[in-house]
Amino acid sequence: MKKTFIGIAGVLTCLILMATSCSSHKQVAYFQDTDTFNIVTTHAASPITIQSGDKLYVQVKAQGSDVINNMFSMVGGTGYSNVTTVQNSPYAYTVNPNGDIDFPVIGTVHVAGLTRSQAEETIKNNIISSGQARSVTVNVTFTNLEVSVLGEVTSPGRFVIDRDELTILDALSMARDLTIYGKRENVKVLRVENGHQHVYKVNLCDAKSLMSSPVYYLKQNDIVYVEPNKVKSQNSEIGSMTTLWFSATSIVVSIASLLANILK
């Protein structure tokens, strides 16, 4: 009898270990459908546009206007490399709820909905139209664009968007990829659009659906959430129950030994 109960305890232990086994290849591999084709049509790339609350760093250099040149300092670099040094600059402007910035020399400029290059052109044309300069160079840089990556990734966190077109794959790379427990076929992207919170689902295992998704290219303040798969959920449940199971097994073995001794 003692051996029987010990055998049962051994079986219980094996079941616990089996429940913690790794995911199958189908649950882990990305782009599984690419074996059947070579070309994927991606969703049309849309450069990030300016929104209310964004902070813009604007550099200006004008020919024929010492006034404007004295007001602005055109420094080296082309934007993102200077983000950390310009956030507190006097040339940083916050886009107000109406989508405007209050710009020196030309006053209010509506920039919401514009790309960086469009905003540069708008400011440039307004300065020239004001008659204060013949030729103007304008450089607009975002200083606060970020996306969040949460859930089953190696390094969750908030990451700076360092280019005009950032894909969800770029963001996941910044977070050092999904863990083995990340649910690749149901990654969620939370995005605020027109004042409403939208949730998009992305399947990393399916290249066609991924790259044609409207959230393949991320926007500022997007949140990428990687849901834990069943294995992680089961491990979590088992983890909280492991001590209880082993305690119960120990009790069973002890009772079996006691009964075996009594029944001899």
Side-chain angles (χ1 to χ4, degrees):
M1 182 179 290
K2 180 178 180 181
K3 290 183 178 180
T4 300
F5 278 96
I6 292 175
I8 293 173
V11 171
L12 289 173
T13 302
C14 289
L15 289 173
I16 291 172
L17 293 175
M18 288 174 64
T20 62
S21 61
C22 294
S23 302
S24 69
H25 174 77
K26 279 192 173 183
Q27 294 174 311
V28 174
Y30 296 169
F31 319 132
Q32 294 175 28
D33 56 332
T34 53
D35 289 340
T36 60
F37 58 86
N38 296 319
I39 300 175
V40 179
T41 302
T42 62
H43 189 274
S46 54
I48 292 174
T49 56
I50 299 169
Q51 299 178 3
S52 296
D54 285 346
K55 293 183 179 180
L56 308 177
Y57 176 63
V58 183
Q59 300 166 302
V60 177
K61 185 175 182 180
Q63 292 183 3
S65 177
D66 291 336
V67 174
I68 292 179
N69 287 331
N70 290 334
M71 292 179 61
F72 297 93
S73 175
M74 190 71 168
V75 298
T78 54
Y80 293 120
S81 61
N82 299 318
V83 167
T84 57
T85 62
V86 303
Q87 287 181 338
N88 297 319
S89 166
Y91 310 125
Y93 305 89
T94 299
V95 183
N96 66 27
N98 296 322
D100 304 327
I101 59 173
D102 187 10
F103 200 74
V105 179
I106 56 177
T108 300
V109 181
H110 187 74
V111 293
L114 303 180
T115 63
R116 286 194 313 119
S117 59
Q118 290 171 338
E120 290 168 351
E121 193 67 18
T122 297
I123 294 171
K124 171 184 172 181
N125 291 337
N126 284 356
I127 293 175
I128 293 175
S129 297
S130 69
Q132 302 193 50
R134 296 187 302 273
S135 178
V136 180
T137 300
V138 178
N139 184 32
V140 174
T141 301
F142 290 108
T143 68
N144 68 330
L145 294 194
E146 296 178 320
V147 295
S148 297
V149 184
L150 308 174
E152 284 298 324
V153 291
T154 304
S155 300
R158 195 162 176 82
F159 302 95
V160 174
I161 297 177
D162 59 356
R163 67 204 75 174
D164 284 341
E165 297 172 1
L166 183 85
T167 71
I168 187 172
L169 297 176
D170 293 325
L172 292 173
S173 296
M174 292 176 183
R176 298 176 58 195
D177 203 2
L178 281 68
T179 69
I180 196 67
Y181 299 112
K183 198 170 183 179
R184 284 143 173 80
E185 70 275 16
N186 191 28
V187 176
K188 295 181 175 66
V189 177
L190 285 69
R191 173 178 293 174
V192 175
E193 295 177 313
N194 300 319
H196 299 283
Q197 181 73 67
H198 295 263
V199 180
Y200 296 87
K201 295 181 181 179
V202 174
N203 185 354
L204 299 179
C205 301
D206 186 335
K208 282 187 176 180
S209 67
L210 166 65
M211 296 181 185
S212 62
S213 169
V215 292
Y216 179 66
Y217 289 97
L218 298 179
K219 296 183 178 181
Q220 61 267 56
N221 302 316
D222 279 355
I223 299 173
V224 180
Y225 172 66
V226 180
E227 184 180 352
N229 60 21
K230 290 183 179 180
V231 174
K232 181 60 178 285
S233 300
Q234 290 170 351
N235 285 353
S236 177
E237 293 175 3
I238 290 171
S240 62
M241 296 291 291
T242 297
T243 302
L244 179 60
W245 276 107
F246 279 109
S247 297
T249 302
S250 178
I251 293 172
V252 169
V253 172
S254 298
I255 293 174
S257 299
L258 179 61
L259 290 174
N261 290 328
I262 292 174
L263 297 174
K264 279 183 179 180

